[in-house]
Amino acid sequence: MAEFPDTFLWGAATAGHQIEGNNVLNDIWAMEHVEGSPFHEPSGDACDSYHRYEEDLDLLAAAGLNSYRFSVEWSRIQPERDLFSRAELAHYRRTVVACVERGVVPIVTLNHFATPIWFARSGAWSQQGAADLFERYTRFVVEALGDLVEWWVTFNEPNAGAMLLATGALPLGAAADEIPTEQLELTAKFAERVGGQVGVASMALPILAPDAIQNVFSAHRQARAAIKELFPAARVGWSPSVADYQVLPGGESTREDVLAQAIHPFWELSRGDDFVGVQTYTRTLLGPEGVVAAEPREETTLTGWEYYPQALGATVRAAAAFTDRPVLITENGIATADDELRIRYTREALESVYSAIEDGVTVLGYQHWTLLDNWEWHSGFAMTFGLIAVDAETFERTPKPSLAWLGQVSQSNGATLEADAAVQVS
Ligand code: NOJ
């Protein structure tokens, strides 16, 4: 296998709320603590990366990775609507400096699902002026970090809600009286906790309402324009979630519907960006009635997602073809306790990416999800997606063999993938 492009960004991705710990001022934390919370366990101290980011970066850089995707926590930067924290901004500045000092390119996500409580209280993404509020926050962050950060992801998986609707995980257009009572009760408890009105206060994820999605579109456009105005050389994009949608007999129109609702509108916006972010974990089989469960395979994942690494090559090709933009793989990985399986998965995913590159697709980088075993939203700490294990009590980090393996791939710019493949065959 020839090498990947010279400037390829080999790295790992994380998200503030999943690793920092004690993000007590955001909407997700609030929902973690209402009675009957849908979150299996609270995020608590998470990986304590708020204090241990240098150690995390030491391990990433020592392994040989050259980039790190992380997110800035909006609720720390702007704890109240009209209060911005210079001290918290300085924290993220130190994180960026720590990257640069280690020869690691920072890729900064401005919104990885969580939003401040004050933003949730007044209607989250459905409120009027949501895009202006996001632009205001963006400017504050970018002014302070933009001299050292070239790569910006405005929103992580802005299509998460649209995806749940389109694949039938949530009922499309459900009327209020069709929404399960439990869900309505949770909504009321959430409003009580954040101090807002029921029906107004809402958790930002999943972004379901059509008006909210339009506001997120505007927020992306405005943030992109603001970043470019402040730092014209910056590279801006966002990172919709996308599976390899495969059709079973009679499933063609289902696939068209899923793409039309949950993918294409988001990729339309990417056409005006510097890159399209791709986050892919598996394939989704679609029949005439919707999603069809895959046959069990020998390899299993903790999430129950089908082991199907070659999905990544397919989605990279599809995103590039639709948007005509270079692709930055912002997430890809596997939840497993078997680190050898993680290595195999990643190798096969990267081989499928390489084949897309050989066919002429421009791919800028690969950010593995994720650096650390962390708090995986509704599933709590049970999903081990990390290249590094973290002790729940001491926060001690223990790198797994997959970290060194990916570091070698990075150092050889992909050349060691071929040697690995040969070992597997013999
Ligand atoms: C998508 C999300 O961006 C990330 O937060 C999550 O942990 C991974 N995928 C795995 O589910």
Side-chain angles (χ1 to χ4, degrees), residues 114-275:
T115 68
I117 280 175
W118 59 262
F119 184 80
R121 183 186 303 138
S122 49
W125 293 108
S126 293
Q127 70 195 283
Q128 245 197 340
D132 294 340
L133 290 167
F134 186 70
E135 181 189 334
R136 197 166 159 230
Y137 150 71
T138 296
R139 283 182 180 275
F140 188 70
V141 173
V142 175
E143 269 167 16
L145 308 184
D147 59 329
L148 295 178
V149 177
E150 181 183 0
W151 300 89
W152 295 95
V153 176
T154 57
F155 286 87
N156 178 75
E157 297 195 347
N159 63 335
M163 183 68 71
L164 293 174
L165 288 176
T167 55
L170 286 173
L172 183 58
D177 59 1
E178 293 170 51
I179 299 176
T181 328
E182 272 171 33
Q183 189 116 4
L184 288 175
E185 278 174 15
L186 270 178
T187 310
K189 283 180 194 151
F190 177 78
E192 198 182 323
R193 170 134 191 150
V194 302
Q197 285 169 18
V198 184
V200 173
S202 75
M203 205 172 66
L205 176 82
I207 301 158
L208 295 171
D211 62 330
I213 294 179
Q214 287 309 317
N215 284 338
V216 169
F217 285 176
S218 301
H220 173 67
R221 288 197 195 92
Q222 288 180 220
R224 178 178 66 201
I227 298 169
K228 293 287 198 178
E229 180 198 308
L230 293 166
F231 291 94
R235 306 226 232 166
V236 187
W238 68 355
S239 59
S241 153
V242 56
D244 177 8
Y245 300 103
Q246 296 186 4
V247 167
L248 296 172
E252 288 78 7
S253 70
T254 313
R255 181 172 190 272
E256 289 313 308
D257 288 349
V258 170
L259 291 174
Q261 286 173 42
I263 305 293
H264 290 167
F266 296 85
W267 280 354
E268 282 285 347
L269 258 78
S270 298
R271 284 181 171 154
D273 293 346
D274 298 297
F275 62 86

Side-chain angles (χ1 to χ4, degrees), residues 2 5 12 21 40 61 75 97 106 114 131 134 137 143 155 159 161 201 216 219 225 237 251 273 323 327 372 394 397:
H40 177 64
S75 66
V97 169
F134 186 70
Y137 150 71
E143 269 167 16
F155 286 87
N159 63 335
V216 169
D273 293 346
T323 62
V327 172
L372 307 161
T394 63
R397 272 75 170 136

